[in-house]
Amino acid sequence: LCDSYFTQCLNASNLCVLLNDAVRLKSDTVTQRCLQCLEQNVDQSLSILQSDDFLNLTAEAMQLLLKSDHLKITEEDLWQMVVKWAEHQSQKCDGHNNGDDDDEKN
């Protein structure tokens, strides 16, 4: 029942969130379903990679996405999206580090 519901709800707009969660929870079945969704929505590859949710992918989820043969975008667009993701991850890390420093001062 849950499998059926998940399959019905999975789409290009929520793919990154669900892939991230599947990887985090180490659910190979759900991870594969997410990658199949990417394959079925190749025409939406660029919009998937331009989503805010893409920027929040874990490194492991990002690697799975990049290994896919089903991204229908140019290498230049892919490179730009990966650089944007890396910058976002760096800012998140800096934000956590800055917050930690503030806590230590108090």
Side-chain angles (χ1 to χ4, degrees), residues 19-20 22-24 27-28 30-32 34-35 38 57-71:
L19 177 62
N20 223 20
V23 168
R24 197 174 296 134
S27 175
D28 293 337
V30 175
T31 299
Q32 289 308 312
C34 289
L35 295 174
L38 179 64
L57 285 175
T58 63
E60 189 176 354
M62 172 62 86
Q63 288 173 347
L64 286 172
L65 198 69
L66 294 177
K67 286 180 182 178
S68 171
D69 292 329
H70 305 292
L71 292 173

Side-chain angles (χ1 to χ4, degrees), residues 2 8-9 56 62 71 73 76 81 86 89 91 95 98 104:
C2 290
Q8 289 175 352
C9 292
N56 293 312
M62 172 62 86
L71 292 173
I73 61 172
E76 183 179 334
M81 296 298 107
Q89 295 300 309
Q91 289 171 357
N98 290 339
E104 291 175 12

Side-chain angles (χ1 to χ4, degrees), residues 7-61:
T7 302
Q8 289 175 352
C9 292
L10 181 61
N11 58 53
S13 66
N14 63 15
L15 180 119
C16 290
V17 171
L18 296 175
L19 177 62
N20 223 20
D21 289 343
V23 168
R24 197 174 296 134
L25 296 171
K26 300 189 184 320
S27 175
D28 293 337
T29 303
V30 175
T31 299
Q32 289 308 312
R33 293 254 171 112
C34 289
L35 295 174
Q36 288 170 351
C37 178
L38 179 64
E39 181 178 349
Q40 294 166 354
N41 292 285
V42 292
D43 291 334
Q44 296 181 35
S45 294
L46 188 58
S47 65
I48 290 169
L49 298 183
Q50 289 175 331
S51 72
D52 290 338
D53 296 326
F54 171 79
L55 297 176
N56 293 312
L57 285 175
T58 63
E60 189 176 354

Side-chain angles (χ1 to χ4, degrees), residues 85-99:
W85 173 85
E87 289 171 348
H88 181 78
Q89 295 300 309
S90 177
Q91 289 171 357
K92 281 176 40 177
C93 288
D94 287 348
H96 289 298
N97 290 340
N98 290 339

